[in-house]
Amino acid sequence: MHELSITESILEIALRHAAGRRVVSVHLVIGELSSYVDESIQLFWQELTRGTLAEEAALQFAREPGELLCLDCGKQFPVRTRDFICPHCQSGSALPATGKDCYVDSIEVFE
């Protein structure tokens, strides 16, 4: 249920930056390697925004591709399969390098 806390943060950011104006849409970027589920964020958004200036605001989701960092050869490579094998050295030792984030990219407000 970590989507609840991230959705609360998204709403707080949107309302703070809207500065008393109605929020029309919020554009989010969610990393491929994050565990956030778009549908869960959307569900919490609908509940949390009731009675706020973001009540009818649409959430727009964009996915950021994930890349892994090979711990043996030091090269980054895109996530293509769930086995996380480095295509450069065939090592199975890798850590997420990009695609773990979740952030508000932009907010559209009604003037």
Side-chain angles (χ1 to χ4, degrees):
M1 292 278 265
H2 56 283
E3 281 88 353
L4 174 58
S5 62
I6 196 70
T7 308
E8 289 172 331
S9 295
I10 292 165
L11 177 58
E12 187 275 324
I13 291 167
L15 293 175
R16 181 169 21 100
H17 288 282
R21 297 171 288 180
R22 187 170 61 84
V23 179
V24 176
S25 65
V26 178
H27 299 262
L28 302 173
V29 175
I30 300 177
E32 176 184 12
L33 297 176
S34 78
S35 59
Y36 295 117
V37 177
D38 300 4
E39 292 82 12
S40 295
I41 293 173
Q42 182 68 51
L43 181 66
F44 285 123
W45 180 258
Q46 290 170 347
E47 293 299 317
L48 292 171
T49 58
R50 262 190 213 144
T52 72
L53 289 171
E55 185 168 6
E56 296 182 23
L59 288 181
Q60 305 292 324
F61 296 91
R63 282 285 171 179
E64 176 184 61
E67 287 197 345
L68 301 172
L69 173 66
C70 178
L71 296 177
D72 289 328
C73 72
K75 294 186 179 177
Q76 282 188 215
F77 58 96
V79 176
R80 292 204 176 98
T81 64
R82 289 291 164 196
D83 60 7
F84 303 132
I85 301 297
C86 176
H88 306 285
C89 72
Q90 306 308 308
S91 170
S93 298
L95 291 175
T98 64
K100 299 181 295 182
D101 297 327
C102 176
Y103 60 89
V104 175
D105 187 52
S106 64
I107 300 165
E108 185 180 352
V109 297
F110 185 75
E111 294 292 329

